[in-house]
Amino acid sequence: AQKVTQTQTSISVMEKTTVTMDCVYETQDSSYFLFWYKQTASGEIVFLIRQDSYKKENATVGHYSLNFQKPKSSIGLIITATQIEDSAVYFCAMRENYAQGLTFGLGTRVSVFP
Amino acid sequence: EAGVTQSPRYAVLQEGQAVSFWCDPISGHDTLYWYQQPRDQGPQLLVYFRDEAVIDNSQLPSDRFSAVRPKGTNSTLKIQSAKQGDTATYLCASSPGTTSAETLYFGSGTRLTVL
């Protein structure tokens, strides 16, 4: 069964700096997909970035990038040049195969201060 | 393109009352999910459909919960005899339903409080 763990409850950073948050996962499958989502204060959940397990290159989208360490079953999210609007809860999620829905971690709350 | 629409936005009940949540997915999305998100936790899958068929409802908390998607478009999640432990945000999501790599698109959710 798939499992996702986010151990950091909250992180505070200054604007324009870099924030890194951790996520480890458990799976028995050799092929799987890892996702990061952002939940804003209004409750809206938005997809940010995805990593396919068979790809060695770390995914990058805008100022979001991933640190995929497959041997450690780890997928960290890196946000560079943070902005106030990046303040939100970030969820790591995974899917082993199409027959399953996404499994989410507990989330990490990021607060960006001016 | 319209996003996933959910209603109502909020619901407040006394224990023992029933409540229904409605979801209209993105047009053309075959797969529809219902998630429960307790306060300060991540979304937890309750049930999901492909077209009108239930693919997995094993995570529905009890027989007090039921979900339908009769025509493969809109869906209703119902809680009969609500309990305080059901207090959470109920999220609907949809996806095109073609590959494992696809992302989910979430609605704004229904925030349920059971007193």
Side-chain angles (χ1 to χ4, degrees):
Chain A
Q2 52 193 28
K3 183 179 179 181
V4 176
T5 302
Q6 294 178 257
T7 57
Q8 298 159 298
T9 304
S10 63
I11 302 174
S12 295
V13 297
M14 298 297 292
E15 190 179 15
K16 301 179 184 178
T17 62
T18 296
V19 61
T20 301
M21 58 200 90
D22 303 326
C23 174
V24 294
Y25 57 90
E26 296 178 24
T27 178
Q28 302 300 318
D29 282 16
S30 58
S31 177
Y32 48 89
F33 301 89
L34 302 162
F35 304 79
W36 281 90
Y37 285 79
K38 169 185 178 180
Q39 186 169 36
T40 63
S42 67
E44 181 185 17
I45 298 178
V46 178
F47 165 72
L48 297 178
I49 191 169
R50 185 188 85 227
Q51 180 75 40
D52 301 344
S53 65
Y54 57 87
K55 292 185 176 179
K56 295 184 178 180
E57 303 78 22
N58 290 320
T60 298
V61 175
H63 74 147
Y64 302 106
S65 61
L66 298 178
N67 179 17
F68 180 40
Q69 299 184 57
K70 194 170 183 178
K72 296 184 178 180
S73 297
S74 171
I75 183 73
L77 175 67
I78 303 164
I79 308 175
T80 58
T82 53
Q83 304 168 5
I84 301 297
E85 310 86 81
D86 292 323
S87 296
V89 179
Y90 291 81
F91 291 101
C92 177
M94 77 173 295
R95 173 193 271 146
E96 290 173 335
N97 58 65
Y98 180 59
Q100 299 172 307
L102 289 182
T103 296
F104 286 81
L106 292 179
T108 297
R109 181 176 300 277
V110 172
S111 301
V112 182
F113 295 95
Chain B
E1 178 183 80
V4 177
T5 304
Q6 291 187 246
S7 65
R9 190 73 175 92
Y10 301 93
V12 180
L13 308 173
Q14 298 289 333
E15 274 199 324
Q17 290 185 305
V19 63
S20 292
F21 310 128
W22 179 83
C23 174
D24 186 7
I26 293 173
S27 178
H29 279 195
D30 295 338
T31 308
L32 184 148
Y33 304 82
W34 284 102
Y35 280 83
Q36 180 192 58
Q37 185 179 21
R39 185 176 177 83
D40 295 329
Q41 295 187 35
Q44 298 163 11
L45 181 65
L46 293 175
V47 59
Y48 76 99
F49 299 85
R50 188 168 305 136
D51 297 322
E52 68 277 6
V54 174
I55 303 301
D56 185 0
N57 63 358
S58 62
Q59 302 304 313
L60 283 174
S62 72
D63 56 7
R64 296 185 298 105
F65 287 69
S66 62
V68 294
R69 193 185 184 198
K71 297 183 179 180
T73 52
N74 302 334
S75 178
T76 302
L77 175 69
K78 183 175 182 178
I79 306 176
Q80 294 181 322
S81 189
K83 298 183 178 182
Q84 289 187 354
D86 299 332
T87 294
T89 297
Y90 291 83
L91 297 159
C92 178
S94 70
S95 67
T98 54
T99 73
S100 300
E102 65 194 24
T103 187
L104 272 57
Y105 298 84
F106 283 86
S108 298
T110 297
R111 186 171 297 181
L112 173 67
T113 301
V114 183
L115 303 174

